[in-house]
Amino acid sequence: MNALIFAAGLGTRLGSISKNKPKALVEVAGKPMLLHAIEKLSAAGATNIVVNVHHHADMIKDYIATLHFTGVDICISDESEELLETGGGLLFAKDLFIPNKAIILYNADIITSANLAEMIAYHKQKKGIATLMVKDRETSRYFLFNKDMKLSGWKNINTNEFIYTRKAESYESLAFSGVHIVDYSILNLLGDVRKFSITNGYLDLSKEHSIFAWKCLNNYWFDIGTPEKWEKANDFMKKQ
């Protein structure tokens, strides 16, 4: 199975914590977030892990060169010339994936105990082109799902902006959690390599294709986006 870790972000919201290093190498409980992600993905069965880089790219390359996981290949998708966001980053890495195998997409700044093996099994059972890990938590932007848990829209509660891609009697609002699984075929459906958010790609494709929600329940989950969130995750993980 393939995996892509999004590690190219600038990490500006972390302030001085990531001033001299890429966000992916910021440590949580004494371990870089990138290593947390690689361990999580390899344990779930990913044998081909791609890491995209941009900000402090050489530091991540040097760090990865020190790693060794039996039966797992770790390679770099170098976006040093242009940061392509999540959608563009996925398409840019196409040639590095094992053809016709599913791809787990994982934000480097996510720390979670969610069972990826269960999520993978759910993805295979549903046979959609993508499965999104979601949580029932407070945020400003939500994906909307119909009763069959198919992606059907999006809303921003701060701007009161709504997008509907499927008609439904009612919609469940769930927050995206930075982990997703896509079928290899989605690479052709998303079009040419360009700078764009995978969120927009999912919404466009959900009009004609099945994209399912997988709820992350009763698991810890952290998005290390700010110093406050980093401190909270760091304190929690030190006790695990």
Side-chain angles (χ1 to χ4, degrees), residues 1-237:
M1 195 168 190
N2 296 296
L4 172 60
I5 299 174
F6 292 115
L10 302 179
T12 52
R13 290 188 300 153
L14 279 176
S16 60
I17 297 172
S18 59
K19 182 179 179 180
N20 298 312
K21 65 174 66 176
K23 184 178 183 180
L25 294 186
V26 170
E27 292 189 352
V28 174
K31 185 188 300 183
M33 288 190 282
L34 179 59
L35 184 55
H36 281 282
I38 292 173
E39 289 177 344
K40 186 80 175 175
L41 292 165
S42 62
T47 57
N48 179 53
I49 299 177
V50 181
V51 181
N52 81 337
V53 297
H54 175 81
H55 184 57
H56 289 305
D58 288 340
M59 291 182 69
I60 295 181
K61 291 177 186 178
D62 291 344
Y63 177 73
I64 287 175
T66 69
L67 302 178
H68 176 73
F69 285 77
T70 303
V72 179
D73 291 323
I74 306 174
C75 59
I76 296 289
S77 179
D78 195 336
E79 296 178 28
S80 294
E81 292 187 4
E82 182 184 11
L83 186 58
L84 294 168
E85 298 187 21
T86 48
L90 170 61
L91 295 178
F92 188 72
K94 180 178 180 179
D95 292 342
L96 299 174
F97 297 130
I98 302 169
N100 302 314
K101 298 294 182 181
I103 308 161
I104 310 174
L105 308 178
Y106 200 103
N107 291 358
D109 60 358
I110 297 299
I111 303 287
T112 181
S113 63
N115 190 323
L116 293 189
E118 291 183 2
M119 184 180 178
I120 292 167
Y122 178 87
H123 175 74
K124 291 178 179 178
Q125 173 195 346
K126 289 296 187 179
K127 295 181 170 59
I129 62 166
T131 299
L132 315 180
M133 182 186 290
V134 294
K135 285 184 72 67
D136 185 8
R137 60 180 174 85
E138 289 188 7
T139 185
S140 59
R141 293 169 291 183
Y142 292 91
F143 277 132
L144 305 177
F145 297 89
N146 66 11
K147 62 180 178 63
D148 297 321
M149 298 310 292
K150 289 183 179 180
L151 180 61
S152 302
W154 175 90
K155 70 178 181 180
N156 184 324
I157 61 174
N158 287 342
T159 63
N160 206 33
E161 179 183 2
F162 290 81
I163 297 173
Y164 297 103
T165 59
R166 286 176 180 265
K167 290 184 178 180
E169 293 182 2
S170 62
Y171 299 90
E172 184 172 2
S173 303
L174 294 164
F176 180 48
S177 296
V179 183
H180 24 158
I181 304 173
V182 298
D183 191 78
Y184 187 84
S185 64
I186 203 172
L187 298 175
N188 292 325
L189 296 173
L190 286 170
D192 298 329
V193 177
R194 63 200 185 280
K195 186 175 183 177
F196 73 104
S197 168
I198 193 68
T199 297
N200 294 330
Y202 288 149
L203 289 170
D204 287 341
L205 293 178
S206 69
K207 298 170 186 176
E208 298 181 3
H209 300 271
S210 296
I211 297 175
F212 289 96
W214 184 78
K215 290 185 178 181
C216 175
L217 301 173
N218 303 318
N219 298 288
Y220 65 75
W221 180 91
F222 296 98
D223 168 15
I224 320 296
T226 64
E228 294 76 19
K229 291 179 179 179
W230 171 80
E231 186 174 356
K232 183 178 180 181
N234 201 41
D235 290 345
F236 178 88
M237 292 300 294

